[in-house]
Amino acid sequence: FLLLALPAIFLLYLLRFWFWFLYPLPTNVLEFTTGVLFIFWIFGILWFEFPKPNLSRWQWFSVLLFLFAVTVATAYAVWKLPLGRSVPLGIWKGWFVAPLLYFFMLTSSFRGKKDLELLIEVGTGIVALTASVMLIQYFTGIFSEIRSTADLRLVWPYLDPLSGKGTSGNYPAIFLAPFLGLSWIMALKSELKLNRFYYFLCALVMAAAIYFTKSYGAWLAVIGAMSLGSFMLVSGSKRWVLVPLLTALLLFGLYLDQKNTEKFKVGLDTQDDTVISSREERLNIWKVSMDLIKANPILG
């Protein structure tokens, strides 16, 4: 029950604090709760016959190899950086270690399809709530002075002084996009009208937030996923006529909405004196990455 309910406190990751043994690395309520549950789970395995993760030898090897690679890369980054060491350590702790602990506990405790559906309900609900908080911050600036990026894109809603000030519209877009696709598919699959309404409402809130991120990559990914999911789940004329027509109308509408914006024009402009776009930035990162790998094949 606690593991299935854990996503419900997701927004509490915004509440950060220090522990003396972690200083200068902050933690948050979500990570702390995950760690406490993991300690209880270990005690349960040792003394109360809790179920263990049912992973094959190759799955264990893959997960541990991934964690080892992430840890080595983090240690190398910390060793190389004279300042700002909390950044790679925070990424290691928050993006990899805590989710893996939750993964081990969750996969050992699932009791079938009902648990999975309950987890999806809780997860999509809290993500929709997070999207609504993002929208409130975007229009009112109630949580902090950061309402949007320099080019007026939606950002994360920072609530406390320990949060970093740097942000990007791509962060919330990447986070929301998979849950929007999942909500849409669950809405089409649900047989109960109340469940269908719930998932449609979650999808609507997430779609509004993703729109204001102005992340073209997320837009295309979501439209593609929702179109494919709709095509697979409906039948008859809806599959062959309605789904392609709505997809085309949505793409065309977004094109009309964005064709005169600076972001759209910059993305099409290939001249060297233009402001760098996300696409060009990614290409630069890949080129630098290749140079680093050539210079140091092991840790590059």
Side-chain angles (χ1 to χ4, degrees), residues 274-287:
T274 60
V275 178
I276 191 168
S277 65
S278 298
R279 172 174 51 86
E280 292 171 307
E281 192 171 349
R282 292 189 188 98
L283 290 174
N284 289 334
I285 291 172
W286 295 340
K287 291 176 182 177

Side-chain angles (χ1 to χ4, degrees), residues 191-199:
E191 297 178 358
L192 296 176
K193 289 185 178 180
L194 184 62
N195 283 3
R196 192 174 299 173
F197 174 77
Y198 169 77
Y199 283 117

Side-chain angles (χ1 to χ4, degrees), residues 211 216 219-220 223 249-259 264:
Y211 170 76
Y216 296 162
W219 287 1
L220 293 175
I223 293 172
L249 288 175
L250 185 56
L251 289 171
F252 185 65
L254 289 173
Y255 166 73
L256 292 178
D257 179 65
Q258 293 292 308
K259 68 174 184 176
F264 188 80

Side-chain angles (χ1 to χ4, degrees), residues 6-36:
L6 187 63
I9 67 166
F10 172 77
L11 269 175
L12 296 184
Y13 90 91
L14 293 166
L15 302 179
R16 307 183 184 190
F17 52 90
W18 305 103
F19 266 125
W20 63 269
F21 56 86
L22 288 176
Y23 188 83
L25 187 64
T27 187
N28 58 60
V29 174
L30 181 63
E31 292 176 356
F32 178 77
T33 306
T34 303
V36 171

Side-chain angles (χ1 to χ4, degrees), residues 31-108:
E31 292 176 356
F32 178 77
T33 306
T34 303
V36 171
L37 282 178
F38 183 75
I39 294 173
F40 283 138
W41 181 65
I42 294 296
F43 277 108
I45 288 179
L46 295 176
W47 283 287
F48 297 101
E49 298 183 355
F50 277 22
K52 300 176 182 178
N54 186 24
L55 300 178
S56 67
R57 193 174 297 176
W58 282 108
Q59 288 172 326
W60 273 110
F61 175 77
S62 300
V63 171
L64 294 177
L65 179 63
F66 172 74
L67 183 59
F68 174 76
V70 168
T71 304
V72 170
T74 303
Y76 183 71
V78 170
W79 177 59
K80 285 289 187 179
L81 289 174
L83 297 173
R85 295 182 174 183
S86 63
V87 174
L89 286 173
I91 291 174
W92 174 78
K93 172 176 59 72
W95 295 8
F96 301 110
V97 176
L100 275 176
L101 297 184
Y102 182 68
F103 166 78
F104 283 132
M105 293 186 287
L106 194 66
T107 54
S108 68

Side-chain angles (χ1 to χ4, degrees), residues 78-247:
V78 170
W79 177 59
K80 285 289 187 179
L81 289 174
L83 297 173
R85 295 182 174 183
S86 63
V87 174
L89 286 173
I91 291 174
W92 174 78
K93 172 176 59 72
W95 295 8
F96 301 110
V97 176
L100 275 176
L101 297 184
Y102 182 68
F103 166 78
F104 283 132
M105 293 186 287
L106 194 66
T107 54
S108 68
S109 304
F110 258 171
R111 293 173 296 180
K113 184 179 179 181
K114 188 175 181 180
D115 277 356
L116 178 60
E117 290 177 348
L118 180 59
L119 184 67
I120 292 174
E121 287 180 12
V122 176
T124 52
I126 194 61
V127 172
L129 180 60
T130 307
S132 66
V133 173
M134 293 176 184
L135 289 168
I136 292 172
Q137 170 64 15
Y138 183 74
F139 287 107
T140 68
I142 191 173
F143 300 119
S144 74
E145 70 274 14
I146 304 177
R147 290 183 56 174
S148 62
T149 62
D151 52 352
L152 303 179
R153 299 172 65 184
L154 180 141
V155 296
W156 283 103
Y158 294 124
L159 298 181
D160 63 272
L162 293 180
S163 298
K165 298 301 182 185
T167 186
S168 167
N170 290 331
Y171 297 165
I174 292 172
F175 171 72
L176 294 171
F179 288 97
L180 173 53
L182 182 61
S183 296
W184 179 259
I185 290 172
M186 292 301 295
L188 295 178
K189 286 174 62 70
S190 297
E191 297 178 358
L192 296 176
K193 289 185 178 180
L194 184 62
N195 283 3
R196 192 174 299 173
F197 174 77
Y198 169 77
Y199 283 117
F200 271 129
L201 183 62
C202 290
L204 182 63
V205 175
M206 295 180 211
I210 286 184
Y211 170 76
F212 288 108
T213 66
K214 301 177 184 177
S215 174
Y216 296 162
W219 287 1
L220 293 175
V222 165
I223 293 172
M226 292 172 66
S227 300
L228 182 60
S230 302
F231 186 82
M232 299 292 289
L233 292 172
V234 301
S235 58
S237 60
K238 291 182 179 179
R239 170 183 287 185
W240 300 105
V241 178
L242 189 60
V243 172
L245 179 62
L246 290 178
T247 302

Side-chain angles (χ1 to χ4, degrees), residues 76 289 292-293 295-300:
Y76 183 71
S289 299
L292 290 172
I293 292 172
N296 193 336
I298 303 300
L299 297 174

